[in-house]
Amino acid sequence: MLTPLLFIPALLAAQPEPTTGNGGITLPEGFAAVVVHEGVGPARHITVRENGDIYVALRRAGRDGGIVCLRDTDDDGKADIVERFGEVQGTGIALRDEWLYFGADFKVVRYKLPVDSLVPTGEPELIVDGFVRDGQHAAKPIDFGDDGRLYVNCGAPANTCQEQMRTPGSQGLSPCPILEYAGGIWSYDPDAPNQQHPADGVRFATGLRNCVAMDAHDDSVYIVMHGRDQLDSLFPEFYDSDDNADLPAEEMHKLTLGSDAGWPYTYWDGGRDERMVGPEYGGDGKTASTNENYQDPIQAFPAHWAPNGVMIYEGSQFPERYKGGAFVAFHGSWNRAPQMQAGYNVTFTPFADGEPSGGFEVFADGFAGKEEIRSPREAEHRPMGLATGPDGSLYISDSVEGKIWRVFYVGESE
Amino acid sequence: MRFLLCISVAALACLTGCSDEPEKPEAATVLPDAPITAEALTQGQALYVKACLQCHQYDGSGVPAMQPALIDNPAVAGEPEHLIEVVLRGMGGTDSALPPSGEYAMTMPASDSMTDTEIANLLTYIRQAYADEGPIKPEQVAAVRSKLE
C-alpha cells in the first residue's frame, strides 16, 4: 500500500530571497538562486565551510591574492565581507579540519584556517611539489577521500601522446611516457610537507587525459574526463568535422585503485557507445578496442562540453531523487567548429547504488547569455566549480567574471 | 563562415583597388605593401580554416586561458619575422619550439611542412583579417626558414 505523501514547505530553515531572474540562469521548477557575488575574478573551483564561509580559487592572482573568501553576515545569501589572500593561483581548493588546501598549477599548499577565521593565517605550507611545468592541462583539482588521503588530478600535458604534439598524422608513443607522471590521479599524505610528485605519491588511477571534474566520494573517486580533441584536423583521412564535434565523449568514471580509462590509446565513441582505438595507435574510426583493462564510463556526455566540476550531492535540502546523484558543471566547448559550440550548463544525473540510474538532464542553463555560441568568448558566463553548503544549497562558480550563484529548493517536498 | 568571407571581400576590394593611397616608405628587403592577390587570400583563408580555426576560432577571438586571440594581438600586427617563426617552430611542447606563453595553457604545433608560399598566404590572410596589416611574402618566409636551419 502506498503511503500518502504529505507535502510541506521545504523551507525548514530561512532561505534567502531569490535574485530576480535567478541571476540570469534557468533552473528546474521548485528551485531558485541568489547571486552571492557578481564577480570575484576569474574563478575556478569553490568550497564552502561548515559555517557557510565560501572560498574561491582564482586562475589569475590579483594584487591582493589568488584566493577569495566570502562571508554572508545577514543571511540574505549575498556576500557582505570579501577578502583576498594568497600568492597563488590555480584551480583546486578544499577544506579539511583547520586547513585550507590549494591546488596551484604546479604545487599543492595549505594554509592554517582557525575556527571562525574567514582569512587564513600564516605562511603557506608546501604539501606536494614537482608536477610537470607545462601549461597544458596543468590544473590541479584536489579532494580528500574517505581514507584521509589527498587526491590530486595530474592532467596530461597533451591532447594524445603523439610523437609530435598536435601534429597531423603524427603517431602515438607506446608506451606513453607521460603516464609515468601525469594522465592520472595520484594520492598523497595530506599532512606530510614537501612531498615530491610522483615519487612520494600513490598512482591511484591512470589513462585519464584530464579530470578537472573530480569528487572523492565514499571509497571511490568520481571524475568526468575531458575527451580528446582534433580528430579531423589530425587525421582527416578517417574523420570529418562532424565526427570531431560529436564522437569523442566526455567520460564519467567511478575510479578505484588501479583503474585505467584507456587514454591515450583509446577514446570513447559516444555515437557507437564503444571504446575505440585512437587514430594515433592504428585506429581508423571503425576499430573498437579489445583491451579489457580499460574500463567503460558509467556515463558518456557529449563531446567537448568540457566538464570542469563534478559533485555527488550529499546535502539534505534537495528532493530525494537528487540525493547521491551527480551534478556536473560544463565549462563549454571550443573544439566543435564549424558546428556551434555547446555545453555551458550544469547537468544532473540521478544515481542508485553509486552509479547512474538514468540519463543526464540539464539542471541549470543560460550561463552563456545567448542561445548560440560560436566562440567561447561570446559566453557571458561559463560554469566552473560546484560545492554544497552546510544547508544543502548548491554553489556554482563562473570562470569569466567570477559570478557565484547559490541554488536552493523552494518547492514542496515529501 | 560569414565573418571569414566578409574579410576576404573587403580585403580584396581595398587592397587591390586603392590606387590613391599615400606613398609608404620603402622597405629594406621586401615590399610590405605589395598588393594582396585574390589567390593568396583564398588560399590563406582555406589554410586558416584547416589549420588554425579550431583553436583560434572562426573570428580570431581565441579561447580565454587556452589559445590567444589573433585580434588585437601585437604579434600579429608586429614584425613579420616573429610571426613566421611562430608558425615554423610552434610554441611550447618541444625543445625546438618557441617558449610557451605563460598566460595561455595550450601549446601550438610547428607547421614547417607547409611551403613558403602557403605560410606567406596564411599569414597574409591572418594579418589582413585580424590586424589590417600588409602582406607577408614567400621570400620573407624563406629567409626565416633559412635562418632557423
Side-chain angles (χ1 to χ4, degrees):
Chain A
M1 177 180 171
L2 293 173
T3 304
L5 296 177
L6 176 64
F7 289 95
I8 59 174
L11 307 180
L12 298 177
Q15 295 282 29
E17 185 73 19
T19 301
T20 303
N22 292 325
I25 61 173
T26 59
L27 296 165
E29 186 177 351
F31 289 89
V34 61
V35 174
V36 178
H37 197 286
E38 287 288 349
V40 299
R44 299 290 283 179
H45 282 175
I46 180 172
T47 189
V48 185
R49 206 176 193 188
E50 289 178 357
N51 66 357
D53 289 345
I54 303 164
Y55 296 87
V56 185
L58 298 183
R59 180 171 53 78
R60 287 194 312 274
R63 283 181 303 177
D64 300 324
I67 301 173
V68 183
C69 319
L70 306 167
R71 176 173 287 179
D72 171 16
T73 60
D74 55 9
D75 294 328
D76 67 353
K78 303 170 186 171
D80 304 299
I81 301 175
V82 181
E83 301 283 355
R84 296 167 189 269
F85 82 101
E87 294 179 358
V88 288
Q89 56 187 16
T91 296
I93 194 162
L95 291 154
R96 176 176 170 271
D97 300 330
E98 291 186 32
W99 294 97
L100 178 66
Y101 287 73
F102 191 85
D105 283 352
F106 307 123
K107 62 184 177 181
V108 178
V109 299
R110 70 176 182 178
Y111 296 85
K112 189 69 176 176
L113 185 60
V115 174
D116 294 332
S117 289
L118 175 62
V119 180
T121 58
E123 294 298 312
E125 183 178 5
L126 180 64
I127 300 299
V128 190
D129 201 355
F131 298 107
V132 60
R133 300 187 74 83
D134 188 308
Q136 283 191 89
H137 301 157
K140 294 291 177 295
I142 55 175
D143 200 9
F144 298 100
D146 284 1
D147 58 359
R149 301 278 290 178
L150 170 68
Y151 288 83
V152 184
N153 165 64
C154 301
N159 176 28
T160 59
C161 198
Q162 291 177 282
E163 294 171 353
Q164 292 176 295
M165 178 271 311
R166 293 185 188 264
T167 299
S170 179
Q171 296 301 296
L173 297 169
S174 185
C176 173
I178 291 174
L179 293 172
E180 296 300 314
Y181 57 85
I185 289 173
W186 271 256
S187 75
Y188 284 90
D189 181 343
D191 294 313
N194 299 315
Q195 296 170 91
Q196 286 294 310
H197 177 79
D200 296 329
V202 172
R203 190 172 71 175
F204 177 74
T206 191
L208 299 162
R209 182 173 176 271
N210 189 30
C211 306
V212 188
M214 181 183 80
D215 185 9
H217 183 79
D218 292 338
D219 59 353
S220 305
V221 176
Y222 290 86
I223 61 93
V224 190
M225 178 169 73
H226 284 227
R228 61 159 302 147
D229 300 326
Q230 296 177 285
L231 278 173
D232 62 326
S233 58
L234 298 179
F235 292 90
E237 65 271 41
F238 301 133
Y239 305 94
D240 61 23
S241 59
D242 288 341
D243 293 332
N244 175 67
D246 297 332
L247 296 186
E250 314 285 55
E251 305 176 32
M252 177 188 276
H253 286 273
K254 179 182 181 180
L255 303 173
T256 54
L257 183 63
S259 288
D260 188 336
W263 182 92
Y265 311 111
T266 68
Y267 66 94
W268 189 265
D269 184 323
R272 290 172 173 260
D273 202 26
E274 195 170 24
R275 186 164 295 289
M276 310 298 288
V277 177
E280 294 84 355
Y281 293 91
D284 56 2
K286 302 182 180 75
T287 306
S289 170
T290 57
N291 191 322
E292 296 182 352
N293 292 326
Y294 306 148
Q295 67 181 46
D296 291 350
I298 57 175
Q299 184 156 75
F301 290 95
H304 309 300
W305 276 24
N308 276 6
V310 60
M311 189 190 73
I312 306 299
Y313 185 71
E314 296 179 288
S316 58
Q317 182 192 119
F318 289 6
E320 193 64 29
R321 74 179 293 264
Y322 290 93
K323 293 171 185 172
F327 288 96
V328 182
F330 286 101
H331 202 219
S333 71
W334 61 264
N335 190 220
R336 285 173 49 83
Q339 291 191 24
M340 291 293 167
Q341 305 299 342
Y344 304 87
N345 55 28
V346 175
T347 66
F348 175 74
T349 301
F351 270 40
D353 300 323
E355 296 202 1
S357 57
F360 73 89
E361 62 205 35
V362 174
F363 178 82
D365 207 351
F367 295 91
K370 56 191 291 192
E371 285 291 319
E372 293 191 332
I373 297 290
R374 294 194 66 186
S375 166
R377 284 187 196 273
E378 297 174 2
E380 287 182 13
H381 302 288
R382 304 179 72 185
M384 181 68 216
L386 302 171
T388 312
D391 71 336
S393 292
L394 168 67
Y395 289 78
I396 306 169
S397 61
D398 144 58
S399 72
V400 179
E401 295 176 338
K403 194 168 181 175
I404 310 293
W405 291 265
R406 172 180 164 187
V407 178
F408 46 94
Y409 188 61
V410 293
E412 293 178 326
S413 60
E414 297 174 15
Chain B
M1 298 300 153
R2 185 176 60 187
F3 184 88
L4 295 168
L5 294 173
C6 287
I7 287 296
S8 289
V9 172
L12 289 171
C14 180
L15 290 170
T16 61
C18 302
S19 58
D20 55 349
E21 289 184 347
E23 288 186 348
K24 296 178 181 175
E26 188 173 336
T29 52
V30 206
L31 293 175
D33 55 350
I36 298 176
T37 66
E39 291 77 10
L41 277 179
T42 300
Q43 185 186 48
Q45 177 182 315
L47 288 166
Y48 182 82
V49 170
K50 179 181 177 185
C52 312
L53 184 147
Q54 277 191 342
C55 289
H56 292 289
Q57 303 297 304
Y58 79 99
D59 55 357
S61 62
V63 180
M66 295 191 70
Q67 293 97 234
L70 302 178
I71 299 171
D72 297 328
N73 187 327
V76 175
E79 289 298 322
E81 287 72 18
H82 174 68
L83 200 54
I84 295 167
E85 192 171 351
V86 168
V87 173
L88 286 172
R89 295 175 60 185
M91 296 187 77
T94 65
D95 292 339
S96 60
L98 289 165
S101 164
E103 188 177 353
Y104 295 96
M106 191 70 85
T107 54
M108 174 176 158
S111 297
D112 53 354
S113 62
M114 282 197 280
T115 67
D116 294 345
T117 298
E118 287 174 330
I119 292 176
N121 291 345
L122 169 64
L123 292 179
T124 293
Y125 170 75
I126 287 174
R127 277 162 62 88
Q128 178 58 30
Y130 303 126
D132 197 22
E133 289 290 337
I136 287 179
K137 309 296 289 181
E139 296 90 328
Q140 291 173 286
V141 179
V144 175
R145 195 192 297 268
S146 175
K147 192 177 72 175
L148 294 176
E149 287 174 350

